[in-house]
Amino acid sequence: MNINSPLLRKFITLGRIDAETVKSKQREYSSTAELIAKGSNMEGDELAEQCVDLFRVPYFDIKDFDVSLIAQELIKDKLIREHHILPLIKKGRKLYIAASDPTDYGAFENFEFSTGLSCEVVVVDYRQLENKIEQLLDATGSLHLSEDEFKEFAELDTESTKETPTNSEEDKDDAPIIVYINKILMDAIKKGASDLHFEPYEHKYRVRFRIDGILHEMASPPNSLASRLSARIKVMSRLDIAEKRKPQDGRIKLKITERKSIDFRVSTLPTLWGEKIVMRILDSSSAMLGIDVLGYEPEQKKLYMDALEQPQGMILVTGPTGSGKTVSLYTGLNILNQPERNISTAEDPVEINLEGINQVQINPKADMTFANALKAFLRQDPDVVMVGEIRDLETAEISIKAAQTGHLVLSTLHTNSAPETLTRLLNMGVPAYNVASSISLIIAQRLARRLCPKCKTPETLPEEELLRQGFTAEQLARLTLFAPKGCESCTEGYKGRVGIYEVMKVTPEIAQIIMRGGNSLEIAEVSLKSGFDNIRISGLKKAAQGVTSLSEVNRVTSF
C-alpha cells in the first residue's frame, strides 16, 4: 500500500480522513482505497465516484465482468496481488486496467513494463474489484499442472536419478518443486483448508485439502515426484530428510504479508509406498473470532460467559478430533486474558501463540507431562489454568484439586456428549464427590458446514419425516429448511462452518445423580428437563434458522 499516494493526500486535504487514522491503520489494510473507505466510513461506490470527479478518470461497473475473458498472458499474479489492480481488455497496443486507486502510477508503469502495452486506467468499486481478483486468481491458481510442467518435472526427476548433481544443479532441479509446494500452501490458505494430505500410492500420488471438514482431491502430480515433494516439505519443516522409517513432527511458518504469518503443523508417516505427510494449518486469527460468531445460542453463550466469570471451578470442552474444541478454549482464554490475571496453559502441541498467556509445550521425553506441568503451575500463583487434554487419572485429580482451591481450570476430554463426560471421569477413578463439587460447566460440540447464503435453496420434506427427524409439531408451522446448491462462491453449496453445542451446567439435581452413581442416560434426561439442549436439538435449531442443512445436521450428529 502506498501511503504517499496522491489519492490519500487528496482525501486528507478534503478532511474525509485524518492523518492520525492513516498512521494507526495503514498496516491493517492491503490497499489505499480500502484504508480510505473504511477509515472514512465511505462505501466503495462512493469512493469510486469521488475519484471520477477528482481525477477525471472514467468509471467502469465491474460487477458483471467475466474474468475468464482476460487473456492468459495478461495475468501477472504478483503484480495483481501487490498493486490491487486487474487487467481487463487488450485493444491493439492498449490495455485497459481496473483500479480503485487511479493515482497508483507506479503500479501502472510496472504493468506496462511487464506486458509491453500502454495502460489506460478505469476506476472501479474496490469491493467489487477484490471479488474479481479473487475469482481470477482462484480460476488460474489450480494445482493441476499443465502437461508441459509435468513433463519438465518428470525430466528433472529422471535426470536426478542418473547422476549425483552438484549443489547448483540440485538447486536448479528443485526450483519447480519449491514453486509447486509454495503454490499448494497458498492455495490451501485461500480456500480455507484446515489440513493438507500428501499421499503416495503404487501408481498414483494425490494431494487433498480438508475444506469445511470434508476432504477434496486437489491435485495428482506424477508419482515419480513423491520423494522430491516429501523431501522439500521436510526441509521446510526442519526434519531429518534421511530418516524415512520413523514418523516425525515439525512446523513451518509461512509469512503471508508483513503483518500476518500462518503456521503449519507437519506430521510424516512411513507407508507402503513412501511417506504420507499431513499438514495442519494453524491460523491464529481463528482464535480471535470472538464468541458471537462461533454459533452459540443466546442461552448457551450466557452459560459459558457466566462460568468464565467465576473465580474457580472447571470448564470442560468435549467432542471428537476436529470439532473445534481448541477454538472454543482459546476464545474463552481471550475473554479472560486481562492484565490482572495470570494465565498458564499446558498444550500438546501449542497450536496458536497468544500474547499475554504463558503457554507450555508438553514434552514427555523431558518428563514435561500434563500432570507435571500442572504441578508447576500451582506453584506459579495462577488465576486461570488450561490443560490441553485430561488423559489420565493423575492429570484429572490435579486439575480438580486446582479447581477446588480457587483456580479456574479449562480442559478437554474425548467423549460424545456432556453427560458422558461426567461418567468418563468417574470411570477414570475420580471420586464422585470431587466430580460433583468441582465441575461447573461442560460443552460438547461438533462443527457443521454453513450453507452458502448466495445459493442455498428451500427444501420441502413430508411432515412425517420432519417429525421423525425430531422437529416438534409447533416448529412445523413456521419451519423453512434449506438445501445446498453450489455456486462460484462456495464448495458444494457450503461456505465456512458453524458450531453445534450442548452446554450443560452441573446443577444440584445433576450433582445428586453423580453422587449416587447414576449413569449418563439419567444425567441426559435431567439435563433436557433443565432446559439444556443436547447436540441433536441444537443442530435442528441451526437447520430451522437456515444456517445449515438437515442432511449436514444428520451427518455430524450421527442420526
Side-chain angles (χ1 to χ4, degrees):
M1 182 176 66
N2 182 11
I3 61 171
N4 296 314
S5 75
L7 179 67
L8 203 50
R9 293 202 303 269
K10 190 73 175 177
F11 277 86
I12 291 173
T13 303
L14 291 172
R16 295 303 302 267
I17 188 171
D18 61 86
E20 287 302 317
T21 299
V22 172
K23 286 181 183 178
S24 62
K25 300 286 187 181
Q26 59 177 293
R27 290 186 175 273
E28 293 183 23
Y29 302 115
S30 58
S31 69
T32 305
E34 185 181 12
L35 170 60
I36 293 171
K38 293 186 177 177
S40 62
N41 297 319
M42 267 195 298
E43 293 296 327
D45 54 353
E46 184 186 352
L47 172 59
E49 290 171 7
Q50 293 275 356
C51 289
V52 170
D53 293 338
L54 290 169
F55 302 104
R56 303 299 177 191
V57 180
Y59 174 78
F60 178 66
D61 187 353
I62 201 174
K63 183 171 62 176
D64 298 321
F65 180 76
D66 185 356
V67 294
S68 65
L69 299 175
I70 301 173
Q72 189 67 35
E73 67 271 13
L74 300 177
I75 301 173
K76 311 292 182 183
D77 288 31
K78 186 177 179 182
L79 290 177
I80 291 171
R81 285 187 187 280
E82 183 178 345
H83 297 296
H84 205 252
I85 57 180
L86 190 68
L88 298 175
I89 299 170
K90 174 185 170 185
K91 287 190 177 180
R93 302 300 302 166
K94 183 178 286 188
L95 173 63
Y96 288 90
I97 284 186
S100 48
D101 178 1
T103 68
D104 193 357
Y105 306 119
F108 311 141
E109 288 173 1
N110 286 345
F111 234 93
E112 286 181 343
F113 179 79
S114 178
T115 61
L117 302 171
S118 172
C119 290
E120 186 79 23
V121 181
V122 294
V123 68
V124 297
D125 182 325
Y126 87 90
R127 286 192 177 87
Q128 292 179 11
L129 178 60
E130 279 185 336
N131 291 336
K132 293 299 176 183
I133 287 174
E134 283 303 313
Q135 284 179 27
L136 175 69
L137 297 181
D138 279 348
T140 59
S142 172
L143 297 176
H144 297 277
L145 301 180
S146 67
E147 289 185 15
D148 289 341
E149 288 174 306
F150 273 154
K151 185 179 178 182
E152 180 187 2
F153 277 160
E155 287 173 355
L156 285 171
D157 189 70
T158 304
E159 289 167 7
S160 68
T161 60
K162 291 178 182 176
E163 58 183 359
T164 303
T166 63
N167 288 340
S168 60
E169 287 173 338
E170 190 173 2
D171 291 343
K172 180 182 176 183
D173 284 356
D174 284 341
I177 296 287
I178 293 169
V179 170
Y180 186 53
I181 291 294
N182 289 345
K183 192 173 185 180
I184 287 175
L185 299 185
M186 291 301 297
D187 203 65
I189 293 167
K190 282 197 307 179
K191 293 182 183 299
S194 61
D195 301 86
L196 296 80
H197 292 239
F198 297 81
E199 302 168 318
Y201 298 97
E202 183 178 10
H203 302 296
K204 181 182 179 182
Y205 190 97
R206 70 178 178 182
V207 179
R208 293 192 291 172
F209 292 175
R210 188 176 293 279
I211 302 172
D212 296 336
I214 305 295
L215 280 169
H216 301 269
E217 184 168 338
M218 306 304 296
S220 185
N223 199 34
S224 58
L225 294 178
S227 61
R228 305 275 295 279
L229 291 167
S230 63
R232 173 58 190 164
I233 295 172
K234 287 164 79 173
V235 167
M236 295 173 72
S237 313
R238 299 187 178 183
L239 300 177
D240 184 354
I241 303 175
E243 181 56 76
K244 299 180 180 180
R245 298 168 300 172
K246 296 179 182 178
Q248 297 187 69
D249 295 308
R251 206 174 179 107
I252 297 172
K253 193 177 190 72
L254 187 66
K255 192 171 183 180
I256 307 301
T257 65
E258 285 186 11
R259 62 183 184 274
K260 183 173 182 180
S261 296
I262 302 286
D263 285 351
F264 295 81
R265 193 178 77 212
V266 182
S267 172
T268 71
L269 178 70
T271 67
L272 189 60
W273 305 108
E275 288 182 283
K276 176 183 176 180
I277 297 177
V278 175
M279 305 171 74
R280 165 67 58 89
I281 299 178
L282 308 173
D283 185 0
S284 58
S285 62
S286 65
M288 310 298 175
L289 293 174
I291 195 168
D292 290 324
V293 300
L294 296 185
Y296 287 94
E297 298 296 329
E299 59 277 10
Q300 293 176 334
K301 175 188 168 184
K302 186 177 186 307
L303 286 170
Y304 191 16
M305 294 297 291
D306 287 347
L308 289 172
E309 289 173 4
Q310 300 302 313
Q312 65 184 55
M314 182 182 286
I315 300 171
L316 292 174
V317 182
T318 181
T321 300
S323 60
K325 299 188 297 295
T326 300
V327 173
S328 284
L329 282 177
Y330 279 142
T331 300
L333 289 176
N334 274 324
I335 293 169
L336 295 168
N337 191 8
Q338 302 296 330
E340 63 270 15
R341 289 194 181 99
N342 177 22
I343 304 175
S344 296
T345 72
E347 305 172 61
D348 185 23
V350 175
E351 294 195 357
I352 298 170
N353 297 324
L354 296 176
E355 190 75 27
I357 293 176
N358 308 293
Q359 296 173 277
V360 173
Q361 171 69 54
I362 294 304
N363 184 1
K365 291 180 181 178
D367 203 28
M368 178 59 80
T369 62
F370 281 117
N372 288 341
L374 266 171
K375 290 175 185 176
F377 289 168
L378 295 179
R379 296 190 291 269
Q380 291 270 314
D381 184 32
D383 296 300
V384 180
V385 171
M386 194 271 271
V387 186
E389 183 184 348
I390 295 177
R391 297 176 179 173
D392 51 52
L393 177 59
E394 185 181 12
T395 307
E397 286 180 332
I398 300 170
S399 300
I400 284 173
K401 178 185 174 183
Q404 291 173 333
T405 55
H407 308 95
L408 182 62
V409 180
L410 289 78
S411 190
T412 70
L413 268 176
H414 284 283
T415 58
N416 291 323
S417 68
E420 288 175 36
T421 303
L422 295 169
T423 54
R424 168 84 175 112
L425 288 170
L426 295 172
N427 291 337
M428 271 187 180
V430 180
Y433 60 85
N434 279 342
V435 174
S437 63
S438 59
I439 297 173
S440 52
L441 191 76
I442 302 173
I443 301 171
Q445 65 181 79
R446 305 288 187 275
L447 284 179
R449 291 178 291 174
R450 281 183 184 270
L451 284 167
C452 174
K454 292 185 179 179
C455 67
K456 66 180 182 181
T457 57
E459 179 181 36
T460 303
L461 292 173
E463 283 192 12
E464 297 80 9
E465 175 62 18
L466 293 174
L467 291 170
R468 189 184 74 84
Q469 291 281 343
F471 290 104
T472 63
E474 293 77 16
Q475 286 177 307
L476 296 186
R478 55 184 185 280
L479 183 65
T480 303
L481 297 177
F482 292 87
K485 182 181 179 183
C487 67
E488 62 181 17
S489 300
C490 65
T491 304
E492 298 176 352
Y494 297 97
K495 189 171 184 179
R497 289 192 285 178
V498 63
I500 296 177
Y501 302 94
E502 176 182 17
V503 182
M504 187 183 80
K505 182 180 178 181
V506 178
T507 62
E509 292 81 7
I510 292 173
Q512 286 176 8
I513 297 174
I514 297 169
M515 291 297 292
R516 61 177 171 80
N519 59 39
S520 59
L521 293 176
E522 292 178 75
I523 297 171
E525 186 179 346
V526 172
S527 175
L528 276 175
K529 288 179 180 176
S530 301
F532 307 135
D533 292 340
N534 60 29
I535 290 281
R536 179 67 186 173
I537 293 174
S538 293
L540 293 177
K541 283 185 175 181
K542 288 287 186 292
Q545 293 162 8
V547 175
T548 189
S549 65
L550 183 57
S551 60
E552 182 67 4
V553 171
N554 289 339
R555 182 182 72 84
V556 299
T557 60
S558 304
F559 181 73

